[in-house]
Amino acid sequence: MVSLSVNLNKIALIRNSRGGNTPDVLAAAKAVESFGAHGITIHPRPDQRHATYKDVENLKQIVTTELNVEGYPSKEFIDIVCRVKPHQVTLVPDPPEALTSNAGWNTLEHQSLLTDIVTELKNHGIRTSIFMDTDLSLYESAAATGTDRIELYTEAFARLYPENPEKAILPYKKSAIRAHSLGLGVNAGHDLNSFNLKYFSQEIPHLMEVSIGHALVSEALYLGLEKTVHLYLEQLK
Ligand code: PXP
């Protein structure tokens, strides 16, 4: 079964809007795990407007499944993840002011930066993943960085899916096959939801993990976290 890692940034965003500790990110992580999710994801941005670096430290203490920390590899980010040692780090190329991740890596242009960082993370025993678009010309250089996995950036799929599912999925299928043939594990995330997840996970070969935040937390406002996590797990079976 494909693993579901629940991104808790939106819980942290609501908490930060009032300055206290409600809703409690750690309690949400425990709840999500107890409802059967396979992992917790957090994406601290440089301004820490939703997840904070402290959240990364605190989550590492209590997560019993897998902690995936996403982020741009600034010195501060790398220092923290090397100290805390989450199970997986997903490297994203987004600039500090980005609202959300909006592109995959250009692995040709940034090959030496990525190689250095992947090597450092792996020396700390951390599994690595790098965020990728579906441009197949970038996959060989992605593999050359030594990364364990890639994460497919699924926004374009999610946008086109309602109109033309076959056209939406095709580049992702090709990318997953290419990544697998290069020895890379395949994760995916961004704008996946209870409407498009089943199709995506059934159609993509070698898919190991999806990380989902915005839609899952939004749907939980109506259904509750437990039912929503179960609903998403159901789509992955
Ligand atoms: N993967 C990456 C690299 C992301 O930046 C995000 C958003 O923080 C996600 C996955 C999850 O996207 P969504 O919140 O749309 O589910």
Side-chain angles (χ1 to χ4, degrees), residues 103-114:
W105 284 98
N106 181 334
T107 52
L108 281 172
E109 196 180 326
H110 299 290
Q111 191 172 352
S112 88
L113 169 83
L114 287 167

Side-chain angles (χ1 to χ4, degrees), residues 7 9-10 41 43 45 70 90-92 94 100-101 131 151-152 188-192 211-216:
N7 179 319
N9 268 33
K10 286 285 137 57
T41 291
H43 188 150
R45 292 183 187 274
E70 302 169 346
T90 301
L91 300 170
V92 294
D94 51 341
T100 182
S101 302
F131 200 47
E151 180 180 321
L152 295 169
H190 220 288
D191 290 315
L192 294 174
S211 72
I212 308 183
H214 183 80
L216 191 153

Side-chain angles (χ1 to χ4, degrees), residues 111-232:
Q111 191 172 352
S112 88
L113 169 83
L114 287 167
T115 304
D116 289 351
I117 290 164
V118 162
T119 306
E120 187 175 357
L121 294 172
K122 288 175 81 169
N123 286 341
H124 282 82
I126 301 166
R127 190 172 75 222
T128 58
S129 180
I130 61 180
F131 200 47
M132 297 284 295
D133 292 307
T134 53
D135 179 348
L136 294 179
S137 69
L138 297 175
Y139 278 62
E140 216 158 290
S141 41
T145 65
T147 190
D148 300 295
R149 297 189 187 184
I150 54 125
E151 180 180 321
L152 295 169
Y153 171 32
T154 47
E155 183 182 350
F157 159 76
R159 244 177 232 266
L160 189 57
Y161 172 74
E163 194 187 308
N164 191 336
E166 291 85 7
K167 190 171 173 202
I169 202 79
L170 190 60
Y172 290 88
K173 270 188 183 170
K174 288 183 180 166
S175 299
I177 290 166
R178 183 87 182 107
H180 183 73
S181 75
L182 289 162
L184 297 166
V186 179
N187 295 344
H190 220 288
D191 290 315
L192 294 174
N193 57 38
S194 61
F195 171 62
N196 60 30
L197 181 60
K198 187 175 189 131
Y199 182 76
F200 186 84
S201 66
Q202 283 178 348
E203 292 290 319
I204 296 297
H206 318 299
L207 184 62
M208 301 178 92
E209 178 183 296
V210 289
S211 72
I212 308 183
H214 183 80
L216 191 153
V217 173
S218 302
E219 285 174 60
L221 292 175
Y222 301 97
L223 287 180
L225 256 185
E226 182 167 7
K227 278 196 182 146
T228 310
V229 170
H230 289 165
L231 174 68
Y232 276 69

Side-chain angles (χ1 to χ4, degrees), residues 3-7 32 37-42 66-68 88 209-213 216 236:
S3 295
L4 172 66
S5 186
V6 176
N7 179 319
V32 160
H38 309 100
I40 301 294
T41 291
I42 204 93
E66 275 208 3
L67 179 61
N68 172 44
Q88 176 174 271
E209 178 183 296
V210 289
S211 72
I212 308 183
L216 191 153
L236 293 172

Side-chain angles (χ1 to χ4, degrees), residues 44 48 52-61 67 69 74-89 117 120-126:
Q48 302 187 64
T52 64
Y53 293 127
K54 193 75 195 145
D55 287 328
V56 174
E57 285 179 28
N58 291 341
L59 281 167
K60 181 63 201 309
Q61 306 295 321
L67 179 61
V69 181
S74 62
K75 183 172 177 340
E76 194 176 21
F77 178 87
I78 293 299
D79 286 350
I80 284 161
V81 291
C82 286
R83 182 159 45 79
V84 172
K85 298 185 181 35
H87 302 90
Q88 176 174 271
V89 166
I117 290 164
E120 187 175 357
L121 294 172
K122 288 175 81 169
N123 286 341
H124 282 82
I126 301 166

